[in-house]
């Protein structure tokens, strides 16, 4: 029986966790109306990813050309050999000694994970997992990636995207070096082995601070910025992957080491923020990517094809539900404090946490589908899980005492539901 549903009802982190915990082998297909992505799993580990809009094979060749790993003539020669032999493009490139095996391993991993990490920004879509016995993937050049690794990296990515997007607003942006970055590159070239502690004797150029240096990945990105290449093209050429390239560019902007090349008015207006469709969703709503698999909402539980239904009756189900519920409790406790930091008060109910993107709506209830109980007083707040009869569940309680300042604010203004 296939595992299927909507991302809105059962999030991508939960899907990955479920497949990983059950060590499933098969293909996860996700579709959002604009694209279709397939992710291959071998015993719960990721062994490949592809997209309908541009296959991994096609993208691999183009990326290697843009990255200077192969020439266009070498790619065309390899493609002709592929048509004649039906072998994988990467194998042909390696056997022809156009690239090394290490180059292919790195390229396949970067391209596959880049496809997967983009999925974490999908707000809606359909998914279906189909189990298979034999999985065709490049065993020689692709090392399986655990679901936990994918989810941990996804958490870091979602955490930092809101900050990154404030500076790198569009994949069409173009950057060039500033005098400061040129001075730093010149400093590195003239004194590659200089100890930063002895850098005080170097002349200050372009406002550089003594000891200011460039990290290796920063130098790599700066070397690619020629005032003509877009952010999207830089991602392809850098081989760092989309997220890390954006992260480095944002930091270079912050340090005034690069500047945007101004293009004609309106050139990229229609594409601005296209890559960041989840701007309104705060990073806390995706903290669930590092949790034990949750088992969905009441609606998901009603479906015979939902993950929670499929897992019912398996060994350890109740234990998983308990741990998932406790993680939700802790997430709510953290979200309440964050809500206070942003608004100066605590909400009078839990609903504003979901309404404002601090948590997902599913986090307001335990893994059995029962809403958590929340009580706010002048001394602190309490969270508790309850059963269907309204009785507290053993071990599902969380209490936090308010600080003196928090008590003062709560007494002065009272709790707010907004």
């Amino acid at each position: 029986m296939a595992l299927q549903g909507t991302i809105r009802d059962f999030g991508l982190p939960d899907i990955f966790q479920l497949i990983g915990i059950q060590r499933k082998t098969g293909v996860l297909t996700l579709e959002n109306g604009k694209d279709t992505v397939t992710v291959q799993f071998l015993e719960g580990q990721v062994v490949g990813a592809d997209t309908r809009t541009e296959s991994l094979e096609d993208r691999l060749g183009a990326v290697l050309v843009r990255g200077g790993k192969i020439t266009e003539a070498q790619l065309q020669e390899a493609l002709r050999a592929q048509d004649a032999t039906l072998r994988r493009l990467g194998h042909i490139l390696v056997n022809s000694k156009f690239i090394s095996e290490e180059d292919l391993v790195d390229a396949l991993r970067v391209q596959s994970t880049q496809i997967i990490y983009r999925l974490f920004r999908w707000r809606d879509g359909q998914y279906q997992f189909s189990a298979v016995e034999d999985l065709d993937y490049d065993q020689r050049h692709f090392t399986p990636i655990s679901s936990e690794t994918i989810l941990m990296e996804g958490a870091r990515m979602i955490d930092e995207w809101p900050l990154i997007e404030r500076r790198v607003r569009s994949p069409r942006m173009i950057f060039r070096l500033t005098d400061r970055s040129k001075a730093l590159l010149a400093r590195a070239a003239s004194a590659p082995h200089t100890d930063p502690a002895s850098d005080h004797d170097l002349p200050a150029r372009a406002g550089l601070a003594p000891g200011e240096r460039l990290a290796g990945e920063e130098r790599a990105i700066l070397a690619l910025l020629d005032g003509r290449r877009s952010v999207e093209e830089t991602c392809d050429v850098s081989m760092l992957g989309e997220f890390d390239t954006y992260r480095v560019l944002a930091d270079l902007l912050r340090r005034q080491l690069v500047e945007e090349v101004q293009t004609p008015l309106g050139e990229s207006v229609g594409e601005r923020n296209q890559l960041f469709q989840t701007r309104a969703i705060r990073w806390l709503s995706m903290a669930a990517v590092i949790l034990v698999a949750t088992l969905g909402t009441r609606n998901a539980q009603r479906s015979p094809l939902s993950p929670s239904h499929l897992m019912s009756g398996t060994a350890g189900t109740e234990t998983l539900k308990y741990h998932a519920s406790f993680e939700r409790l802790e997430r709510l406790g953290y979200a309440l404090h964050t809500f206070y930091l942003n608004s100066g008060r605590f909400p009078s109910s839990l609903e504003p946490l979901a309404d404002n993107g601090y948590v997902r709506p599913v986090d307001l209830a335990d893994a059995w589908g029962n809403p958590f109980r929340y009580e706010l007083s002048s001394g602190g707040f309490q969270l508790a899980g309850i059963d269907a009869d309204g009785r507290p569940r053993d071990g599902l309680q969380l209490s936090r005492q308010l600080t003196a300042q928090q008590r003062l604010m709560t007494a002065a203004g009272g709790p707010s539901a907004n």
Side-chain angles (χ1 to χ4, degrees), residues 6-11 14 124 296-297 299-300 362:
T6 66
I7 294 175
R8 187 178 296 275
D9 289 337
F10 202 73
D14 298 322
D124 204 353
T297 61
N299 288 336
V362 69

Side-chain angles (χ1 to χ4, degrees), residues 114-228:
Q114 183 166 302
I115 291 172
I116 294 171
Y117 293 144
R118 285 176 178 172
L119 292 172
F120 282 90
R121 299 201 297 276
W122 284 20
R123 300 181 63 177
D124 204 353
Q126 305 289 324
Y127 70 86
Q128 177 175 333
F129 180 81
S130 300
V132 299
E133 293 183 1
D134 297 321
L135 200 62
D136 181 27
Y137 77 99
D138 192 345
Q139 300 182 37
R140 181 175 178 180
H141 299 110
F142 198 102
T143 302
I145 309 171
S146 70
S147 296
E148 290 78 10
T149 298
I150 293 290
L151 296 178
M152 290 292 289
E153 187 66 14
R156 182 174 73 94
M157 181 195 73
I158 295 301
D159 187 350
E160 298 183 27
W161 267 126
L163 301 177
I164 293 173
E165 67 172 343
R166 294 175 187 173
R167 295 188 171 94
V168 187
R169 306 180 306 278
S170 165
R172 298 298 183 185
M173 291 178 72
I174 298 173
F175 296 109
R176 64 188 173 199
L177 277 60
T178 63
D179 290 340
R180 297 188 77 253
S181 60
K182 293 175 183 178
L184 275 176
L185 290 171
R187 169 185 287 179
S190 63
H193 303 296
T194 301
D195 186 343
S198 63
D199 194 37
H200 62 277
D201 58 337
L202 293 176
R205 291 177 290 183
L208 300 183
E212 187 173 359
R213 286 290 189 273
L214 289 169
E217 58 185 12
E218 292 174 330
R219 290 196 298 271
I221 294 298
L222 287 174
L224 301 175
L225 302 181
D226 56 5
R228 297 184 299 273

